[in-house]
């Protein structure tokens, strides 16, 4: 994934979703707190289990070139065998290295994290189309709050099955 200078405000995050550049402000503090809680829970599990099978990363670039997208998910679980320092300077994760990706919704771009409703691709469908095995959605919308785990991606339909 190559970088482009767009002259955007410093506190902007740029992702490519459905082949389009999406510019959003950095998420609020509560968003970061939820992400940290998820990471902390996984860290506790790792400290209790010598054979913990994953590495946990926050806010890392994911290269979904095969679907013409690039995301910066809130949290990613990567197999413990993946060498994260390989070509470290320009390293972005590939879908085949990811076990689970987690997104915490934030206004105004929460619709980009959810299942598509208008046929327009979202990160949910992009991850599925790329074959990322599991997608955890933490939805902060007060009208429909919840945590949903999706899995068993269908690459052809760019869709997941709801697991819980």
């Amino acid at each position: 994934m190559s970088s482009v200078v767009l002259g955007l405000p410093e506190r902007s995050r740029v992702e490519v979703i459905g082949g389009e550049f999406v510019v959003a402000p950095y998420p609020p503090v509560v968003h970061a707190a939820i992400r940290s809680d998820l990471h902390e829970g996984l860290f506790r599990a790792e400290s209790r289990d010598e054979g913990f099978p994953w590495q946990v990363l926050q806010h890392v670039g994911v290269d979904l070139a095969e679907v013409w997208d690039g995301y910066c998910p809130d949290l990613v679980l990567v197999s413990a065998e993946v060498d994260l320092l390989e070509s470290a300077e320009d390293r972005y994760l590939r879908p085949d290295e990811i076990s689970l990706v987690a997104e915490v919704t934030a206004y105004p771009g929460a619709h980009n994290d959810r299942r598509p409703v208008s046929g327009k691709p979202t990160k949910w469908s992009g991850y599925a189309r790329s074959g990322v095995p599991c997608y955890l959605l933490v939805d902060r919308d007060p009208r429909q709050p919840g945590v949903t785990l999706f899995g068993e991606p269908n690459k052809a339909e760019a869709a997941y099955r709801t697991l819980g």
Side-chain angles (χ1 to χ4, degrees), residues 58-116:
Q58 287 190 40
H59 230 237
V60 63
V62 175
D63 183 353
L64 302 176
E66 85 178 62
V67 298
W68 298 94
D69 282 3
Y71 310 150
C72 186
D74 292 309
L75 189 131
V76 178
L77 291 182
V78 178
S79 170
E81 287 95 41
V82 172
D83 181 3
L84 296 175
L85 299 179
E86 167 194 322
S87 306
E89 273 185 48
D90 296 327
R91 179 96 158 91
Y92 294 94
L93 291 176
R94 297 181 316 270
D96 64 323
E97 297 175 313
I98 298 171
S99 298
L100 176 141
V101 64
E103 295 282 2
V104 179
T105 62
Y107 178 82
H111 63 282
N112 287 318
D113 295 327
R114 298 183 186 120
R115 181 188 324 246

Side-chain angles (χ1 to χ4, degrees), residues 98-149:
I98 298 171
S99 298
L100 176 141
V101 64
E103 295 282 2
V104 179
T105 62
Y107 178 82
H111 63 282
N112 287 318
D113 295 327
R114 298 183 186 120
R115 181 188 324 246
V117 290
S118 64
K120 188 174 179 180
T122 64
K123 290 193 264 183
W124 183 91
S125 59
Y127 287 127
R129 196 167 61 175
S130 297
V132 172
C134 293
Y135 181 76
L136 181 70
L137 177 65
V138 180
D139 202 326
R140 296 178 43 236
D141 186 333
R143 296 167 295 170
Q144 58 184 15
V147 178
T148 308
L149 178 63

Side-chain angles (χ1 to χ4, degrees), residues 19-37:
E20 296 180 1
F21 286 101
V22 176
V23 181
Y26 281 158
V29 172
V30 68
H31 182 277
I34 292 169
R35 186 175 64 216
S36 291
D37 285 348

